[in-house]
């Protein structure tokens, strides 16, 4: 298959398509998949050297994933993606961070489409289409493996696999920030941004610049607003947090800016330097929180939705680098997400954008030594106003997320290790079991081959047990909503695979959203609702929407969840 301006069959086994045309992928696979094959192996090598995710890279994979889901084939598909280098392993690679965005599709396509397995091979070199014989043999060896390594890097004739090492951080109590230092926190009025601001203030930072996308009430109106609105008002909570920063001795200044607006960003930094003096460091915490996982799934997401995600996390970071290039700024801390490691349903674009940021940080440290860059892949946070309150399953789950006090302690420690490492993953539990459950789990096992001792469990009992194993929720009721209880899209990935193997039948990921309680999902899996689904098709959309609304209820109730 090669890129072209239109769709056409050139020879018996060769096609031409426009990589930007989603319909061409659908036409192609409808023709190709007519041939009966037990396993289809697809190799994607449309890597590029563009700065932003482009048609031949991330979006091409997105179109492929949509086509797989629409055609509904039952054969196994092994999709292997080959890109040019986006990780610094040897230290001298030419890095292309836009190719890192492919990992978003590689993670999520496998998690959302049950018959698709994905792998990524990252090759160093100027052109992923030109390899020597040894490299070609190495690639071919990976292509024909029945179960290839999920994420593999090739440098010369050596293969490198991903590994994570626990890091011991020293107690940060003795670290003090310069009293005359100016720290800019882009996205500083968000949960993580305000937590970072407090950590800096507690370490003695003198001046904090906090930015947000929207306007914020002027300080002269704060006391009146605090008296008028309830304590759980989101703006009032931020006002109280800013007052706490001032009480710690920091001067706090608020600015409104869209990080993807280069003209306004230039004006912001010029104004800061003119008014407040030399900037010591920048914390990049701009971005949006994905709350509607179902409509951000491979089948539902649009290019416009992806671009909205890329605006802040990719374009904004590129603009920031251009602005601070040549300035004597000590550090730039970039807040990313653990989705780069674990993926998650509905997080293809979100994961792609965060993976770009991780790669971009490595490229910056490789190309210059004036500013030290660090990427921090955060686990889920809990900014609930009622921290650790009550004994419900929801609060039990929220307690497993990062609380601001815990996150602040980590941020303080990060300043101590910034010159030692450039990439930190913050996981609230051991990372390897999560990788085994959500990323590396094989779907090639024979159904029923695992967990033989659980065959006598009812479906409800099976769901209870898998939820407990995946989330630690031990007392979840049969009628308690999954999303009210804090179950995330990443949790669903591992549980869905495990339950499929036990009951020996495929389970649509969307079922968890359509039937969002143990009792309802068990009833669906037992076939009790088949007639209702076939005769009342209109009810399905209503049920899905109600299920998805539950994801937003935590925010409405003051239980705001954030994905790093």
């Amino acid at each position: 298959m090669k890129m072209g301006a239109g769709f056409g069959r050139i020879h018996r086994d060769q096609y031409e398509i426009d990589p930007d045309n989603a319909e061409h992928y659908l036409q192609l696979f409808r023709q190709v998949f007519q041939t009966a094959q037990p396993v289809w192996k697809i190799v994607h090598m449309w890597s590029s050297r563009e700065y932003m995710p482009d048609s031949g890279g991330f979006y091409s994979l997105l179109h492929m994933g949509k086509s797989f889901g629409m055609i509904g084939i039952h054969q196994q598909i092994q999709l292997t993606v080959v890109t040019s280098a986006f990780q610094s392993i040897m230290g001298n690679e030419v890095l292309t961070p836009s190719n890192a965005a492919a990992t978003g599709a590689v993670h999520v396509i496998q998690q959302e489409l049950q018959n698709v397995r994905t792998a990524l091979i990252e090759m160093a070199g100027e052109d992923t289409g030109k390899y020597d014989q040894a490299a070609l043999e190495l690639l071919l060896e990976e292509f024909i493996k029945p179960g290839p390594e999920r994420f593999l890097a090739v440098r010369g004739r050596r293969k490198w696999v991903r590994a994570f090492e626990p890091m011991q951080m020293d107690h940060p109590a003795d670290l003090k920030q310069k009293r005359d230092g100016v720290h800019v926190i882009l996205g500083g009025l968000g949960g993580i941004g305000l937590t970072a601001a407090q950590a800096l203030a507690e370490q003695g930072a003198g001046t904090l610049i906090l930015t947000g996308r929207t306007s914020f009430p002027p300080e002269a109106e704060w006391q009146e607003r605090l008296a008028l609105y309830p304590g759980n008002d989101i703006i009032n909570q931020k006002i109280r947090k800013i007052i706490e920063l001032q009480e710690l001795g920091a001067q706090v200044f608020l600015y409104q800016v869209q990080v993807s607006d280069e003209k306004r960003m230039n004006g912001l930094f010029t104004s800061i330097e003119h008014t407040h003096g030399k900037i010591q460091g920048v914390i990049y915490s701009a971005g949006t929180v994905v709350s509607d996982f179902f409509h951000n799934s491979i089948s539902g997401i649009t290019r416009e939705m992806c671009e909205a995600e890329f605006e802040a996390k990719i374009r904004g970071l590129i603009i920031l680098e251009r602005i601070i290039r040549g300035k004597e700024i000590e550090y730039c801390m970039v807040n990313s997400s653990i989705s780069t490691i674990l993926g998650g349903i509905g997080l293809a674009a979100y994961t792609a954008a965060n993976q770009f940021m991780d790669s971009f940080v490595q490229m910056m440290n490789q190309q210059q030594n004036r500013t030290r860059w660090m990427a921090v892949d955060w686990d889920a946070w809990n900014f609930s106003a009622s921290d650790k309150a009550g004994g419900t399953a929801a609060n039990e789950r929220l307690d497993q997320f990062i609380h601001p006090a815990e996150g602040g302690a980590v941020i303080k420690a990060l300043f101590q290790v910034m010159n030692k490492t450039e990439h930190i993953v913050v996981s609230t539990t051991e990372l390897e079991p999560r990788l085994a459950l959500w990323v590396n789990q094989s779907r090639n096992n024979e159904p029923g081959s695992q967990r033989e001792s659980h065959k006598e469990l009812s479906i409800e009992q099976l769901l209870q047990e898998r939820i407990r194993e995946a989330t630690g929720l031990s007392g979840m009721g049969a009628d308690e909503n999954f999303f009210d209880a804090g179950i995330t899209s990443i949790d669903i990935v591992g549980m869905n695979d495990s339950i499929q193997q036990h009951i020996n039948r495929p389970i649509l990921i969307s079922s968890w959203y359509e039937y969002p309680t143990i009792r309802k999902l068990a009833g669906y899996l037992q076939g009790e609702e088949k007639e209702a689904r076939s005769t009342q098709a209109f009810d399905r959309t209503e049920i899905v929407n109600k299920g998805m609304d539950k994801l937003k209820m935590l925010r409405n109730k003051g239980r705001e969840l954030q994905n790093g």
Side-chain angles (χ1 to χ4, degrees), residues 199-235:
L200 285 166
E202 289 175 351
Q203 290 183 325
T207 302
L208 301 175
I209 310 295
L210 310 182
T211 78
R213 293 190 304 273
T214 57
S215 61
F216 198 80
E219 188 170 357
E221 299 176 5
W222 288 358
Q223 292 305 322
E224 181 182 357
R225 198 182 195 289
L226 289 172
L228 286 174
Y229 292 89
N232 61 358
D233 177 81
I234 190 70
I235 299 298

Side-chain angles (χ1 to χ4, degrees), residues 500-556:
Q500 279 186 139
Q501 291 182 21
H502 184 94
I503 67 175
N504 194 20
R505 57 172 287 196
I507 305 171
L508 293 174
I509 289 290
S510 60
S511 304
W512 292 79
Y513 299 94
E514 295 178 65
Y515 306 99
T517 69
I518 288 174
R519 195 184 309 279
K520 288 180 179 179
L521 184 56
Y524 162 70
L525 295 178
Q526 291 164 345
E528 294 176 357
E529 301 190 20
K530 285 184 178 179
E531 183 177 351
R533 286 169 57 84
S534 62
T535 59
Q536 298 182 8
F538 65 92
D539 286 340
R540 176 171 179 167
T541 300
E542 183 179 354
I543 293 170
V544 171
N545 290 335
K546 286 181 179 178
M548 292 310 303
D549 286 343
K550 293 293 184 179
L551 292 171
K552 302 172 185 175
M553 287 180 64
L554 291 174
R555 182 177 296 172
N556 298 334

